[in-house]
Amino acid sequence: MAKLYRVFQGLFCVCFILAALSILSLNGYAAALLAAAAVWLLLRRRPLPQFTLLLLIGGLVLRIGILLVLHPPIESDFLMMYEAAQSLLGGDLSFLDTPYFSLWAYQSVFVAWEAMWLSLWNSPVCLELVNAVLSAGIVCLLYRMARGWVSECAAQAACLLLTIFPYALTLHTVLTNQIASAFFLTLGVWLLAGDDCRRLGFWRFPLAGLALQCGNLLRSEGIIFVVAVLAWAVFEAVRHPEAVKRLAAGMLALLVVYFASGTAAGAIVRVSGLNPHGVQNGDPGWKFVTGLNFSTSGGYSQEDWSKIYPTLDENYQATAQTETVQDELIAERLSAGPVKLMRHMLNKLRLLWNSNALDWTLGHTQQQPEQLILGLITRGNAYTLVCQFDRGLFYLSLLLAGFGLIAPRERWKQRPSAAYLPYFIFFAAFCAMLLIEVQPRYAYLPQLFLFLAAAFGLDCLGKSRKEKTENA
């Protein structure tokens, strides 16, 4: 009878746990916690073997499966760049005679990037596949960096959480320039700080500068990484003053290659006829005008554009009048008073970090939100669940990153100064977004490095548990 009692006891425990899990799984935030717990339980004893290969193949298979199911429409700036790439393939450069490519000539590089791949297979699916490969590659590069700074289990757990992060997992279905740019920017950080690249010696500095500029040419976010790398160099110089000369020479090489390759790329774009304006940003003040727009919380403003557009010349270039109008708008908004400015900054933070960007990848599935999926859950409820899961993993990674940063000083003494790079990159992006235009999808790049920073929090949890076990 005692044996039968234990059977009933075990059976009831299983049934109760299943009931609790079924309830929790219907809330995306709780599901995010459950997923994180499952990942941690999977890896708490021993890391998975051949994880880089597993991460690459598994991540790629997941993304290919998703692009076979999700077919978001090509819209907004992505549609303009895709149509321009098609025109470039056909030898038609008429897209250059538009305000978009005349004023923001740097977008021409991404048009050429898309045209290159479309010349192999002229289908949006080709671009999605390229994005899928690069997206999976980004996670692998982040893992290769993390394993040099934290325990293997913590590095693997953080990258598995990033792998199932809905926004990063589905963005490849959108023809965005964010993924290709993020790959090269991450490659630059890996070349500079990854343990795998130590054998490169001094060469890692110029190679990192070249990779960072490649990412910047595809999407103008390289300055965020340059600032983060300079912050790392300061930390490294203070920590190891004996290596200041070598570090200064390396940073000089990185910056020279970064800016020289950018200048060379601009010249090539002009000489080739891809864009007579090279890779310039014809109106850098525009981002600050929209970033300070109170009514849109720092997002794009058609009203602001209607004030700027009439001031452009016949070639759609900014004029003195353009600068005057923009300076007046910026000055007016900056003089609104500290309370209004603070409220605006809070609204921008809410728009950028508290909102998800899944409408770009999943929004088209909500045309009939009442429709059932497999007869179990409506499309609307499923979308809400995924959005909550997305934000839940983001908030969890933010907490873990913060927990890892305030870890005992002894642990950070054992790590190289380069371990601060994920934090520097996230914080540099955070500060930049306070000033310029924001959209929820712009959080893609800093969120990648936030998940990398979360590995430090997971490492602390793992070591705390190990220390308690040893002291017991």
Side-chain angles (χ1 to χ4, degrees):
M1 293 298 290
K3 185 176 181 180
L4 182 60
Y5 174 77
R6 286 195 297 271
V7 170
F8 282 141
Q9 187 182 41
L11 181 61
F12 176 73
C13 288
V14 170
C15 291
F16 183 85
I17 290 173
L18 289 175
L21 290 176
S22 66
I23 295 171
L24 293 174
S25 65
L26 295 177
N27 180 279
Y29 296 107
L33 287 174
L34 288 176
V39 167
W40 190 242
L41 287 173
L42 174 66
L43 297 171
R44 65 172 184 165
R45 294 190 181 279
R46 62 176 63 89
L48 298 174
Q50 303 296 323
F51 189 72
T52 304
L53 185 61
L54 178 66
L55 199 59
L56 179 63
I57 295 176
L60 186 57
V61 169
L62 273 176
R63 286 168 174 82
I64 291 175
I66 287 171
L67 72 84
L68 293 176
V69 175
L70 291 181
H71 306 286
I74 308 174
E75 54 189 352
S76 188
D77 295 4
F78 311 136
L79 179 60
M80 282 191 286
M81 289 190 282
Y82 177 74
E83 290 177 340
Q86 292 289 0
S87 297
L88 183 60
L89 278 178
D92 177 11
L93 297 179
S94 60
F95 66 89
L96 296 177
D97 301 322
T98 62
Y100 188 83
F101 289 103
S102 296
L103 201 56
W104 296 292
Y106 59 85
Q107 299 286 25
S108 303
V109 176
F110 184 70
V111 169
W113 166 270
E114 287 194 321
M116 177 185 70
W117 294 109
L118 291 172
S119 66
L120 302 177
W121 178 24
N122 197 343
S123 169
V125 178
C126 175
L127 300 177
E128 292 176 9
L129 284 171
V130 171
N131 279 345
V133 173
L134 295 180
S135 183
I138 289 170
V139 183
C140 290
L141 289 174
L142 293 174
Y143 162 67
R144 298 303 300 180
M145 282 188 280
R147 68 195 305 267
W149 302 330
V150 298
S151 68
E152 187 71 17
C153 288
Q156 292 188 6
C159 290
L160 282 179
L161 291 179
L162 178 57
T163 297
I164 62 174
F165 181 49
Y167 180 41
L169 187 58
T170 59
L171 186 61
H172 64 284
T173 61
V174 179
L175 304 188
T176 175
N177 57 357
Q178 293 169 271
I179 293 175
S181 174
F183 175 80
F184 285 103
L185 291 172
T186 305
L187 178 65
V189 179
W190 174 70
L191 286 168
L192 184 65
D195 281 356
D196 302 321
C197 302
R198 283 186 176 179
R199 292 183 180 179
L200 292 174
F202 186 81
W203 282 101
R204 63 195 176 115
F205 289 97
L207 288 174
L210 181 61
L212 291 176
Q213 185 56 252
C214 287
N216 183 67
L217 289 168
L218 290 167
R219 182 176 174 83
S220 301
E221 294 182 319
I223 188 62
I224 291 173
F225 283 71
V226 170
V227 170
V229 168
L230 288 174
W232 161 72
V234 171
F235 270 52
E236 185 71 6
V238 172
R239 188 175 186 181
H240 301 290
E242 71 281 359
V244 167
K245 290 184 179 180
R246 185 174 183 277
L247 179 64
M251 290 304 301
L252 180 61
L254 185 151
L255 293 174
V256 167
V257 170
Y258 178 85
F259 289 107
S261 57
T263 302
I268 292 171
V269 169
R270 283 192 298 270
V271 171
S272 66
L274 179 59
N275 196 309
H277 304 294
V279 295
Q280 73 175 17
N281 180 352
D283 187 14
W286 167 248
K287 286 288 185 180
F288 293 95
V289 170
T290 53
L292 288 169
N293 189 297
F294 298 152
S295 61
T296 63
S297 297
Y300 173 79
S301 169
Q302 183 60 41
E303 182 181 354
D304 283 345
W305 178 245
S306 66
K307 296 176 182 177
I308 301 301
Y309 180 73
T311 68
L312 304 178
D313 65 19
E314 64 276 7
N315 296 317
Y316 303 114
Q317 295 298 293
T319 64
Q321 186 183 359
T322 305
E323 294 180 5
T324 299
V325 171
Q326 290 183 160
D327 288 345
E328 289 176 352
L329 287 171
I330 292 172
E332 177 188 348
R333 290 164 185 177
L334 287 176
S335 62
V339 174
K340 193 168 184 178
L341 282 171
M342 182 60 69
R343 184 166 63 246
H344 174 61
M345 293 302 171
L346 293 176
N347 289 335
K348 288 188 72 173
L349 292 176
R350 188 177 298 109
L351 174 64
L352 181 63
W353 302 111
N354 287 0
S355 304
N356 67 77
L358 290 171
D359 54 311
W360 287 99
T361 58
L362 299 175
H364 67 287
T365 66
Q366 297 307 295
Q367 295 177 355
Q368 294 179 307
E370 72 284 351
Q371 186 178 6
L372 289 173
I373 300 175
L374 301 176
L376 298 174
I377 186 173
T378 66
R379 287 177 177 266
N381 288 337
Y383 180 73
T384 299
L385 187 64
V386 174
C387 290
Q388 290 176 345
F389 186 78
D390 178 273
R391 289 300 84 191
L393 284 181
F394 166 72
Y395 294 138
L396 181 62
S397 68
L398 188 60
L399 289 173
L400 287 170
F403 180 63
L405 185 61
I406 61 173
R409 190 176 302 176
E410 291 73 21
R411 290 179 182 172
W412 280 101
K413 285 182 179 179
Q414 298 170 7
R415 296 168 179 152
S417 301
Y420 282 102
L421 273 169
Y423 292 96
F424 290 156
I425 292 169
F426 177 82
F427 188 69
F430 176 88
C431 293
M433 297 298 181
L434 290 175
L435 301 174
I436 63 174
E437 177 193 351
V438 297
Q439 293 184 36
R441 68 181 179 89
Y442 292 174
Y444 171 73
L445 183 60
Q447 283 178 150
L448 295 175
F449 286 87
L450 182 65
F451 275 86
L452 175 55
F456 294 98
L458 292 168
D459 188 55
C460 287
L461 290 175
K463 288 184 177 179
S464 297
R465 179 179 175 278
K466 184 178 180 180
E467 289 170 358
K468 287 181 179 179
T469 303
E470 290 175 351
N471 295 330

